[in-house]
Amino acid sequence: MYYNREIFPTMITPYKNDGSIDYDTVIKYVDWYFSKGCTGIFAVCQSSEIFFLSLEERIKINALVYKRAKELEKNSGRRFTVVSSGHVSDDLDSQAEELNAIAESGTDALIFITNRFDINQEGDKTFIKNAEYVMSKLPNDIPLGFYECPKPYKRLVSDEILNWCIGTKRFKYMKDTCCDDALIAKRLEILKDSGFNLLNANSQTLLSSLKNGCMGYCGVMANLHPELYVWLCRNFEKEPEKAEALQGALGSLAFAEGGLPYPLFAKYHMCLEGIPTEDIARSRKGECMSDYQKDCTRQMRDFTSYTYKSLLSSK
């Protein structure tokens, strides 16, 4: 079955107690995302802690995610897309090497991190020149995308860059992190009918962006309650009153992203979902979840369960 809206969680990375990657649990995460109705996964992204992973680790994670996703897709007859990033270097040739390695390990689209192409923040012309150089080193037939990754700094794309993307006919996905309703609407107007689709990472502006033609949601909170995002993206036109109420809940819940230690609380949530995950994140070395933070996460999960059952039972 195909849907005209997409829900892509930003994949988190589980570790073993010794700090090495728990690859068996990576596969369990993929199964969990699929079981919740997600239409794809954004692999090896900031949520995956890519700046703290070796290239070998990034490649292996991506290969496992892609292989398992395609198995689920084949067995179910349901599309399950994998888009992948993974380039963290400052040097353009090194970025091309990283992206080629990710592409070879399997993906449906390569996602460029926008702050990698204009490290000294010289402007759009430098950005486009550097992006074109990296593209020239990649396979010509692989779809591309952009991700306005917040770290090490957030580089928002301009109208000029969006129009350049459309002109290349290579770009399919954009993970928008501007968190600005008016700017999202403007971008959607530029991208209209181009085949270059915007996915909103910001929960608070999601419903408004869906009404304006946004392709769907690709964000952190799909690690916590993806089924609610799935419902909203599929039903916002059919059941507008419920959609407005759910938008209010999702927008409020999403402030946990700043109030709780991410990705640790997402990993604890996986434990609550029956997927044991160590309380370890390389990006938050030495930190662990407090009892208070765990209780907040449990409450969020209880609310999610109640809300989802209510949505289904009130049809």
Side-chain angles (χ1 to χ4, degrees):
M1 186 175 291
Y2 289 80
Y3 301 94
N4 60 0
R5 292 294 188 275
E6 307 285 354
I7 304 89
F8 285 31
T10 51
M11 179 117 191
I12 55 176
T13 299
Y15 303 102
K16 296 179 181 178
N17 191 48
D18 63 3
S20 63
I21 294 173
D22 186 344
Y23 293 107
D24 290 337
T25 299
V26 167
I27 295 171
K28 292 176 183 177
Y29 285 179
V30 176
D31 289 350
W32 185 81
Y33 294 137
F34 186 80
S35 73
K36 294 295 182 177
C38 296
T39 56
I41 296 174
F42 185 9
V44 283
C45 56
Q46 182 176 297
S47 288
S48 314
E49 302 177 88
I50 53 172
F51 292 98
F52 300 86
L53 303 176
S54 68
L55 179 56
E56 181 182 2
E57 288 173 327
R58 281 173 264 153
I59 292 167
K60 187 169 182 179
I61 288 171
N62 188 70
L64 284 172
V65 171
Y66 185 74
K67 180 182 178 184
R68 182 57 182 157
K70 296 302 121 175
E71 288 173 349
L72 292 168
E73 186 177 75
K74 181 179 179 180
N75 293 337
S76 68
R78 187 183 117 202
R79 178 167 49 87
F80 200 39
T81 303
V82 175
V83 301
S84 316
S85 188
H87 64 129
V88 301
S89 298
D90 291 348
D91 176 73
L92 296 177
D93 287 314
S94 297
Q95 289 184 50
E97 179 184 348
E98 292 167 328
L99 288 164
N100 273 307
I102 293 294
E104 289 170 10
S105 68
T107 190
D108 294 308
L110 278 177
I111 308 299
F112 291 161
I113 294 175
T114 54
N115 61 46
R116 297 295 81 204
F117 293 143
D118 186 18
I119 292 168
N120 297 319
Q121 303 186 54
E122 297 173 11
D124 289 350
K125 287 183 172 47
T126 296
F127 181 106
I128 292 170
K129 181 183 74 172
N130 289 339
E132 287 178 335
Y133 178 80
V134 172
M135 284 172 63
S136 73
K137 303 287 185 179
L138 302 176
N140 291 324
D141 59 346
I142 192 163
L144 303 173
F146 269 141
Y147 166 31
E148 294 174 321
C149 182
K151 293 183 179 180
Y153 74 94
K154 185 183 285 193
R155 174 62 153 89
L156 298 181
V157 297
S158 65
D159 295 356
E160 181 179 356
I161 291 171
L162 288 181
N163 281 303
W164 167 77
C165 289
I166 293 170
T168 69
K169 303 187 185 304
R170 293 285 306 278
F171 287 84
K172 187 172 181 181
Y173 300 104
M174 173 179 168
K175 181 181 175 183
D176 184 300
T177 70
C178 74
C179 307
D180 183 324
D181 203 31
L183 181 54
I184 293 171
K186 182 182 179 184
R187 288 174 166 183
L188 287 167
E189 187 60 33
I190 293 171
L191 298 176
K192 189 175 181 179
D193 299 324
S194 68
F196 184 18
N197 300 291
L198 184 147
L199 289 130
N200 194 350
N202 179 243
S203 301
Q204 289 82 1
T205 57
L206 180 57
L207 179 56
S208 176
S209 68
L210 290 171
K211 292 176 180 178
N212 285 324
C214 170
M215 187 182 190
Y217 179 73
C218 178
V220 163
M221 299 306 288
N223 283 294
L224 281 298
H225 31 248
E227 62 268 45
L228 296 184
Y229 286 96
V230 169
W231 190 96
L232 183 66
C233 287
R234 292 180 184 169
N235 296 284
F236 74 95
E237 292 174 310
K238 293 183 288 186
E239 303 192 61
E241 285 190 28
K242 291 180 189 175
E244 291 287 349
L246 181 57
Q247 170 60 57
L250 291 175
S252 300
L253 290 170
F255 286 110
E257 183 181 346
L260 293 173
Y262 184 73
L264 289 175
F265 79 95
K267 296 181 181 188
Y268 177 67
H269 183 270
M270 288 298 190
C271 294
L272 298 177
E273 288 290 309
I275 306 174
T277 302
E278 293 291 340
D279 189 15
I280 297 172
R282 293 182 188 176
S283 59
R284 306 189 79 102
K285 196 168 183 179
E287 291 186 57
C288 59
M289 290 279 286
S290 67
D291 289 342
Y292 168 77
Q293 291 164 341
K294 289 179 179 179
D295 190 50
C296 290
T297 307
R298 281 193 294 268
Q299 289 181 41
M300 191 186 312
R301 182 172 179 267
D302 289 344
F303 179 78
T304 295
S305 178
Y306 173 80
T307 302
Y308 190 60
K309 288 177 183 176
S310 299
L311 288 169
L312 293 182
S313 64
S314 62
K315 285 187 176 180

